[in-house]
Amino acid sequence: MSITFFDRIERRLIATGQTEEAASKRAGRNRGYIRDLKRKKSVPNSKNIAGLAVALECSSEYLLGLSEEPGSPPTGQATEVSAEEPQITKDERLLITIYRALPDEEKNWIWQQVLREAERAGIAIDDAE
């Protein structure tokens, strides 16, 4: 019997000590995302596989059955938003609005948390000074 995509997700959930809901959220999806994948018995697109791999701390190749070893999650490169890019989403606008309203001490704390999460997710952030 071969190990399925869903078996690999389950193995990584156990290995990382996460629930389906927590891993779904870490992957940048709604909390029922993994459950919905299992119900539909479908494989997500490449962007969502990469998100799952980061959340489950393994490689995309492992999830797809192209590697037997979990390996390392994919790394990303954070990019600056430029004038040529599409408008920011409603959620992004709300996040910015809330952030701007906070006292400087709280902004600093939040920024440190964001940097830690980016590092944990393997997202490289260039120092733009």
Side-chain angles (χ1 to χ4, degrees), residues 12 16 18 26-27 49-63 69-77 117-124:
R12 294 307 303 160
T16 60
Q18 297 182 81
R26 276 189 74 197
I49 290 172
L52 283 171
V54 169
L56 297 170
E57 301 172 13
C58 64
S59 68
S60 300
E61 291 81 7
Y62 172 77
L63 289 178
E69 295 299 318
S72 300
T75 58
Q77 176 71 32
E117 286 299 314
E119 181 178 326
R120 192 167 60 101
I123 300 169

Side-chain angles (χ1 to χ4, degrees), residues 7-113:
D7 293 332
R8 290 171 186 274
I9 288 175
E10 193 61 37
R11 287 179 177 191
R12 294 307 303 160
L13 287 170
I14 293 166
T16 60
Q18 297 182 81
T19 63
E20 287 181 359
E21 293 82 10
S24 293
K25 289 173 77 174
R26 276 189 74 197
R29 307 297 300 173
N30 67 57
R31 68 184 201 157
Y33 181 66
I34 293 174
R35 179 197 64 224
D36 293 342
L37 282 175
K38 288 180 176 180
R39 284 183 181 164
K40 295 177 186 173
K41 298 188 184 216
S42 62
V43 177
N45 65 32
S46 59
K47 179 180 176 184
N48 292 334
I49 290 172
L52 283 171
V54 169
L56 297 170
E57 301 172 13
C58 64
S59 68
S60 300
E61 291 81 7
Y62 172 77
L63 289 178
L64 292 170
L66 301 173
S67 169
E68 293 304 314
E69 295 299 318
S72 300
T75 58
Q77 176 71 32
T79 57
E80 292 183 38
V81 177
S82 68
E84 296 82 37
E85 291 190 20
Q87 295 294 318
I88 62 174
T89 67
K90 183 176 166 184
D91 289 343
E92 290 168 328
R93 188 177 324 287
L94 178 61
L95 181 63
I96 292 167
T97 301
I98 293 168
Y99 181 81
R100 286 179 177 169
L102 294 171
D104 287 341
E105 184 176 305
E106 289 183 38
K107 285 180 186 176
N108 186 39
W109 183 86
I110 288 171
W111 184 242
Q112 295 306 314
Q113 300 305 311

Side-chain angles (χ1 to χ4, degrees), residues 114-126:
V114 168
L115 292 175
R116 273 193 213 101
E117 286 299 314
E119 181 178 326
R120 192 167 60 101
I123 300 169
I125 299 182
D126 295 329

